[in-house]
Each structure stands twice: as structure tokens, then as C-alpha cells.
Amino acid sequence: MLIPFSMKNCFQLLCNLKVPAAGFKDTVKSGLILQSVSNDVYQNLAVEDWIHDHMNLEAKPVLFFWRNSPSVVIGRHQNPWQECNLNLMREEGVKLARRRSGGGTVYHDMGNINLTFFTTKKKYNRMENLKLVVKALKAVQPQLDVRATERFDLLLDGQFKISGTASKIGQTAAYHHCTLLCSTDGTFLSSLLKSPYQGVRSTATASTPALVKNLMENDPTLTCEVVINAIATEYATSHQIDNHIHLINPTDETLFPGINSIAKELQTWEWIYGKTPKFSVNTSFNVLYEHSHLEIKVFIDIKNGKIEICNIEAPDHWLPLEVRDKLNSGFIGSKFCPIETTMLTSILHRTCPEDDELHSKWNMLCEKIKGIM
């Protein structure tokens, strides 16, 4: 159901945004510039969904600015095990999110601006949006060498990517969102967006690696605040609307009815991991046994984030066949994640409580398998 910009909606926004009534009425007639006060990736992604699904965007385009605390965002059709270092993310407390749009994986922190351009499906135009960003940047720094590419990226100095892009096109509404690197932690970005996992086979959409650079590396005055204001000014001029950025709280149910349930869904394991296209892991590792190395082979098929087939091959003299079968069958149906693997280690402890050597081998295998999850 579309919720038009009625006077009731205007009043709700006025109460929550505390902006002058006359100015906001004029804005509502032709478009809006919004900025989130939240740095939570799930809350901000929920705003995108809400606006796309509920707002009538006919003749009322919306530009939405948002920034997140450290997080990795994958495209709707991507495989996180292929795209990022999940173990490092867990250690560092970096959130993983799956967005509704396609495209590649990006790293967000407070030095990265996210922009979402909302329009009707008919008026959707990614290149027009990117040219607007370029124009805004050049207005601040005329000497800046920045341009949009045919792949809908923004390049700095002809080779460094400062913006990735993705979109979602619905039946009547559409949005195009892109990142803009101002002062992002480049070391963290490169280490998190590098998968350490071996033997992953998948048909999921893969990201295209690129050299990246921050705008502030070229010009220290190009802070996030300066860039946001420049883009907002250019957007307001282009769309002939009031140049006022309205601050919004993504958790405000009076402004966005039902939005917290959207944010909650975006945080679920079923959405983040379970939506991964079917894939397999075919790998091996060595274990030390009586001063020699034994090869352990592992083949796993994963569908909807859960293990469908598990085949662990090990020499019979090291791990009896019946124990391997028990381990393989124990993995079937479980989530492909370290937590459930940890739970499996207790199975043998219950079935063979006094076999310490077997426990040690079982635990070691589970720890090795956790390393590929």
C-alpha cells in the first residue's frame, strides 16, 4: 500500500523533525533530502525498504544520506564466505548485512557516506545520479579528477574507485544507492573484504576487486560533512527543492510504521546467511599423527545456509569409519556456522564419555571445520 505525502504525513514529520512548517510543506510538494541519525546498518537498510515499499514517489524524489559503524554489506545474491573474512569480522565485532539490492560487497564505517536516490521506476537513472555527485564534488574542489564510469562507479585520478553502486527496481518505485569514500579505514577495508576460505564453489554473484582511495587523501578538506552538504545543495538545485537536510530516526514507528520489524528481519541468520545461493566446499587439511602428516578431506554441500551433504574422509586407523559416519551425519541439517559445529563436539562426549583420544580427534576435526565457516 502506497502512503502518499498527505497533510497528515507532513504533520507527523514536522513533529519528529522539528523543521519550519512552511519550508517543509514546500519540500513535500516536490521532494525530500533525508539523513539518518542512526549508525546501525540494519536500521538504515530498513529505511530504504520502507521508503521503497510505502512512499508515493511520483514527482517527489528522495535523497537519503546514511553512515554506519563498521560493517560489511553484501549484495542480495552474494555468498559471504566468498566475499569477506567472517572470522576476522567476528573477532573485531564488525556486523554483516545482506541488502535487498544486487551488486558487490562493500565495507562501511563512519568515513564512508551512503547515498540512496529514490524515484519512480520510470525516472530511475543511475548515471544522472552519479553525474550529480561528480558535479557536487567539483563545486567544492574544481581541480578534483573524478568521473563516472560505464560500470556506474566513480573513479578518482582515473584509477581509484571511490564509489560502488547498486540498485533495486520494483513495480513502480526504484532506488539507486552508492558509497562514497571520504576517510574510510583502508587497511581494515582490504583485510575484511578478502576471503581466506579455500575450496568454495558457488554460482553467487562475485565482487570485482578494485583499487580504492579516500577523497581526503587528495584533499583533506573533503570531510563527510562537507561532501554531504555539497551533494545536498546540488540535489536541491537540480530538483528545485528546499536545500534542507531533514534528520530522521529510523526506529521511529510514528514516522515509519512497521520499520522495526523490517530491521529485525534484516538481522536474522535466515536472511543474512540463509539467502546464500547453494554452494559447496571441497578442501583438505593435514593432522599430525605419530610424527607424520595425515590428509583429511572434507566435502560439504550447503543449501539455504544449511548442510545437505557432508563427507569427511580420514584414514581408518586414525579415525574409525563408524565415528566418521557419526560425525558426517551429525552435520547434516545443521547451519553452516561455527556455533552449531561447537555444539556437535558434545555429541561424542555423550556417546563415548571415556575415550579421551577419540574426543581429542573429534574436537580437532570440528575446530578445523569451524575454520572454513
Side-chain angles (χ1 to χ4, degrees):
M1 175 183 176
L2 292 176
I3 300 178
F5 268 172
S6 64
M7 289 304 297
K8 179 180 179 182
N9 298 134
C10 291
F11 179 74
Q12 288 178 338
L13 285 166
L14 283 168
C15 293
N16 288 280
L17 301 178
K18 298 181 176 62
V19 297
F24 191 74
K25 284 182 181 178
D26 292 339
T27 301
V28 169
K29 290 177 182 176
S30 54
L32 271 177
I33 303 175
L34 306 176
Q35 183 172 348
S36 175
V37 299
S38 171
N39 303 130
D40 183 276
V41 63
Y42 307 113
Q43 292 174 2
N44 289 325
L45 287 173
V47 172
E48 288 192 320
D49 288 347
W50 197 97
I51 293 176
H52 177 272
D53 294 343
H54 296 292
M55 274 193 175
N56 180 359
L57 297 166
E58 191 64 45
K60 304 176 189 72
V62 175
L63 172 59
F64 175 44
F65 292 106
W66 44 295
R67 290 192 288 167
N68 296 320
S69 57
S71 50
V72 171
V73 184
I74 60 175
R76 179 167 187 147
H77 309 294
Q78 290 198 293
N79 182 326
W81 290 275
Q82 280 186 310
E83 297 295 329
C84 48
N85 190 330
L86 295 173
N87 288 330
L88 180 59
M89 289 170 62
R90 295 182 190 110
E91 291 172 7
E92 298 292 340
V94 176
K95 295 177 181 177
L96 176 66
R98 182 186 298 273
R99 60 180 184 268
R100 305 282 185 187
S101 63
T105 300
V106 289
Y107 170 69
H108 292 182
D109 64 14
M110 293 301 291
N112 175 53
I113 303 169
N114 296 283
L115 307 94
T116 311
F117 297 86
F118 296 91
T119 61
T120 59
K121 181 179 179 179
K122 291 180 181 179
K123 294 184 178 180
Y124 163 82
N125 190 324
R126 280 196 287 182
M127 186 56 74
E128 183 179 284
N129 298 333
L130 293 176
K131 288 181 177 179
L132 184 149
V133 174
V134 170
K135 189 175 181 181
L137 290 172
K138 286 183 175 292
V140 178
Q141 176 48 269
Q143 302 303 316
L144 202 65
D145 178 10
V146 59
R147 62 180 178 85
T149 72
E150 294 180 354
R151 292 178 57 87
F152 301 109
D153 297 326
L154 292 181
L155 287 187
L156 184 64
D157 297 333
Q159 58 177 321
F160 299 105
K161 186 174 177 179
I162 60 170
S163 177
T165 191
S167 61
K168 178 180 178 180
I169 303 176
Q171 290 186 338
T172 59
Y175 65 73
H176 160 223
H177 50 193
C178 59
T179 57
L180 196 55
L181 300 176
C182 286
S183 56
T184 290
D185 186 330
T187 302
F188 217 31
L189 181 153
S190 59
S191 59
L192 290 174
L193 300 189
K194 187 180 296 181
S195 172
Y197 311 110
Q198 302 295 319
V200 178
R201 300 288 182 270
S202 174
T203 58
T205 303
S207 297
T208 303
L211 293 173
V212 298
K213 191 175 185 180
N214 284 308
L215 285 167
M216 287 187 66
E217 292 178 60
N218 270 35
D219 185 343
T221 67
L222 293 174
T223 63
C224 288
E225 291 72 22
V226 168
V227 171
I228 287 174
N229 287 329
I231 296 172
T233 299
E234 186 59 43
Y235 186 85
T237 301
S238 175
H239 291 83
Q240 297 182 327
I241 64 174
D242 175 44
N243 182 16
H244 187 100
I245 299 176
H246 304 287
L247 299 180
I248 60 167
N249 181 352
T251 65
D252 189 344
E253 290 276 344
T254 62
L255 196 60
F256 307 107
I259 195 167
N260 288 310
S261 64
I262 299 173
K264 187 176 180 179
E265 180 190 354
L266 291 171
Q267 297 178 58
T268 62
W269 187 93
E270 287 73 19
W271 170 254
I272 297 174
Y273 297 98
K275 290 296 181 180
T276 302
K278 185 175 181 179
F279 69 105
S280 65
V281 177
N282 191 351
T283 188
S284 64
F285 51 83
N286 292 326
V287 296
L288 185 63
Y289 178 68
E290 293 182 351
H291 308 295
S292 63
H293 289 280
L294 299 178
E295 184 181 31
I296 309 296
K297 296 181 179 179
V298 179
F299 176 81
I300 302 175
D301 260 352
I302 301 101
K303 182 179 180 181
N304 298 326
K306 295 185 177 181
I307 297 173
E308 276 196 326
I309 298 173
C310 181
N311 186 20
I312 299 170
E313 297 181 5
D316 290 343
H317 68 275
W318 186 77
L319 194 68
L321 177 60
E322 62 270 20
V323 177
R324 295 204 310 273
D325 287 344
K326 188 175 294 184
L327 186 59
N328 287 327
S329 61
F331 275 109
I332 304 300
S334 67
K335 294 176 181 177
F336 189 65
C337 72
I339 294 176
E340 296 222 353
T341 302
T342 299
M343 293 170 59
L344 286 173
T345 61
S346 64
I347 295 176
L348 184 63
H349 293 192
R350 293 194 302 267
T351 56
C352 307
E354 297 178 358
D355 196 330
D356 292 337
E357 183 180 359
L358 206 53
H359 289 177
S360 177
K361 294 175 181 177
W362 180 288
N363 291 342
M364 185 275 298
L365 279 177
C366 286
E367 286 299 312
K368 290 281 190 180
I369 292 172
K370 280 168 62 178
I372 65 175
M373 293 181 172

